[in-house]
Amino acid sequence: LDISPLKKGRDKNMIYRIYFNKKTVLQKIIDRTFTGDKMGLGAYLWVAHRISGLVLLLFFVVHLFTLSSIIDGETIFDRKMKLMDATWIKVGEVILIAVLLFHCFNGLRLILMNLFPRSNENVLAYISIIASIVFTLVVIPIIF
Amino acid sequence: MNILTKEVNVDRPPAFRFGGGNETLGLWGWFGLYLSGAVLLFFILSHLWVIHYSPTGHELTWKSIFESFKAHYIIRIIDIGLLVFCIIHGLIGFRRIILDLDFLSKSGDNWVIGGLTIIGIILFIFGLVIFGNFISPSV
């Protein structure tokens, strides 16, 4: 795949996509790690969106199993829920909310990119990152 | 075909190339992922509001959850909607990640779809059983 004409272009993410589409994700990450080539912001978000999605899917399953203690009765359920007051669980909740907010805002960015193909990808990317950080900071006092 | 129009952006193109094959999710997969994501956002925000701000929320005990469900049917709809859309969005997203790895044949993709559908149905039934126990406890 000859991507040389595209190297003159301004959009590094575009080069990344054309180059990377021909390789598996693992190859992409390994290649970029060892060659030291910089990935565009969109490329990092592309990877981060998938990792955050997997984390949230895992949480969803774990959450269902935690709630399933209701099947053993009210007392056991309440005892298990009492464990959720531990500080390390609260810290975990903040991390989870941060992951969730990132996934939400980045997902909104992807929807906007689909609806408005000429939108500025980098501006949307920065807005989604900043919004994730701001809303996570807002949520911290609510959790604690 | 110009390579730029074919695969210029892995996250942008489905609206413009709904075609099948292992590279894309297809029309339904795309709608399933993006539309369910938007709907899921509504359900998650509602769920968080119910937990933290509604009059029946705050405390995480069986009694408070029971009273919360009993208080209004909308709260029950929110939680069942959350369950359904979490499963749909999560599993279609998982398939998307598998497709990104680019090692599946067409038949392999069909097996993945079948497997994820079964997992989704099991998770849904599991969720309904838990939900049912909050409304009318078995123990």
Side-chain angles (χ1 to χ4, degrees), chain B:
Chain B
M1 181 190 282
N2 185 340
I3 194 167
L4 285 176
T5 56
K6 186 167 180 279
E7 42 189 9
V8 66
N9 184 331
V10 287
D11 279 323
R12 199 188 290 246
F16 312 105
R17 57 177 180 98
F18 285 130
N22 287 341
E23 277 188 355
T24 66
L25 286 165
L27 176 64
W28 292 112
W30 184 84
F31 268 114
L33 196 59
Y34 285 74
L35 202 65
S36 68
V39 176
L40 191 55
L41 188 59
F42 163 77
F43 280 118
I44 286 176
L45 290 175
S46 308
H47 181 69
L48 291 176
W49 182 84
V50 168
I51 288 174
H52 290 285
Y53 291 109
S54 79
T56 51
H58 301 294
E59 219 180 320
L60 202 55
T61 60
W62 174 82
K63 199 176 172 216
S64 70
I65 297 171
F66 175 76
E67 279 172 4
S68 177
F69 280 140
K70 207 174 138 191
H72 211 285
Y73 72 95
I74 286 185
I75 295 177
R76 278 169 271 169
I77 290 174
I78 286 171
D79 275 34
I80 288 183
L82 186 66
L83 173 72
V84 170
F85 281 94
C86 269
I87 292 170
I88 292 173
H89 188 75
L91 295 183
I92 293 178
F94 190 71
R95 176 172 170 247
R96 167 100 191 221
I97 292 172
I98 292 173
L99 291 180
D100 284 342
L101 294 172
D102 202 20
F103 64 88
L104 282 180
S105 62
K106 185 68 189 167
S107 64
D109 186 29
N110 289 336
W111 277 103
V112 167
I113 292 171
L116 291 178
T117 306
I118 292 168
I119 291 171
I121 292 168
I122 291 170
L123 284 174
F124 178 66
I125 293 169
F126 188 43
L128 280 186
V129 169
I130 294 167
F131 186 75
N133 271 275
F134 278 115
I135 295 173
S136 53
S138 57
V139 179

Side-chain angles (χ1 to χ4, degrees), chain A residues 1 6 13-14 16-18 21-26 28 42 46 50-51 53-54 57 60-61 63-65 67-68 70-74 77-78 81-82 84 93 97 100 103-104 107-111 113-114 116-119 121 142-143, chain B residues 3-4 6-17 23 30 34-35 37-38 41 44 47-48 52-53 60-63 65 82-83 86-87 89-91 94 96-97 100-103 123-124 126-127 129-131 133-134 137-139:
Chain A
L1 178 66
L6 298 166
N13 294 333
M14 186 173 72
Y16 153 83
R17 288 187 206 99
I18 290 161
N21 269 350
K22 288 292 171 191
K23 297 196 166 198
T24 67
V25 174
L26 288 177
K28 297 163 194 174
W46 185 84
R50 276 140 187 83
I51 293 172
L54 284 176
L57 186 59
F60 170 68
V61 176
H63 189 53
L64 275 186
F65 274 95
L67 290 177
S68 70
I70 186 65
I71 296 167
D72 299 327
E74 183 187 336
F77 178 79
D78 284 351
M81 289 304 112
K82 200 78 185 159
M84 301 297 164
E93 273 182 48
I97 287 288
L100 176 69
H103 197 79
C104 285
L108 284 176
R109 179 183 73 91
L110 298 179
I111 291 173
M113 278 167 53
N114 272 261
F116 308 103
R118 290 183 183 176
S119 55
E121 191 177 320
I142 298 171
I143 289 178
Chain B
I3 194 167
L4 285 176
K6 186 167 180 279
E7 42 189 9
V8 66
N9 184 331
V10 287
D11 279 323
R12 199 188 290 246
F16 312 105
R17 57 177 180 98
E23 277 188 355
W30 184 84
Y34 285 74
L35 202 65
L41 188 59
I44 286 176
H47 181 69
L48 291 176
H52 290 285
Y53 291 109
L60 202 55
T61 60
W62 174 82
K63 199 176 172 216
I65 297 171
L82 186 66
L83 173 72
C86 269
I87 292 170
H89 188 75
L91 295 183
F94 190 71
R96 167 100 191 221
I97 292 172
D100 284 342
L101 294 172
D102 202 20
F103 64 88
L123 284 174
F124 178 66
F126 188 43
V129 169
I130 294 167
F131 186 75
N133 271 275
F134 278 115
S138 57
V139 179

Side-chain angles (χ1 to χ4, degrees), chain A residues 62-129:
Chain A
V62 171
H63 189 53
L64 275 186
F65 274 95
T66 312
L67 290 177
S68 70
S69 61
I70 186 65
I71 296 167
D72 299 327
E74 183 187 336
T75 320
I76 292 173
F77 178 79
D78 284 351
R79 199 187 305 150
K80 281 198 176 170
M81 289 304 112
K82 200 78 185 159
L83 299 174
M84 301 297 164
D85 292 336
T87 311
W88 67 273
I89 293 276
K90 300 273 183 197
V91 173
E93 273 182 48
V94 172
I95 294 169
L96 183 74
I97 287 288
V99 172
L100 176 69
L101 286 170
F102 165 76
H103 197 79
C104 285
F105 283 114
N106 196 52
L108 284 176
R109 179 183 73 91
L110 298 179
I111 291 173
L112 287 175
M113 278 167 53
N114 272 261
L115 293 176
F116 308 103
R118 290 183 183 176
S119 55
N120 189 321
E121 191 177 320
N122 277 341
V123 170
L124 287 176
Y126 284 117
I127 290 173
S128 71
I129 292 168

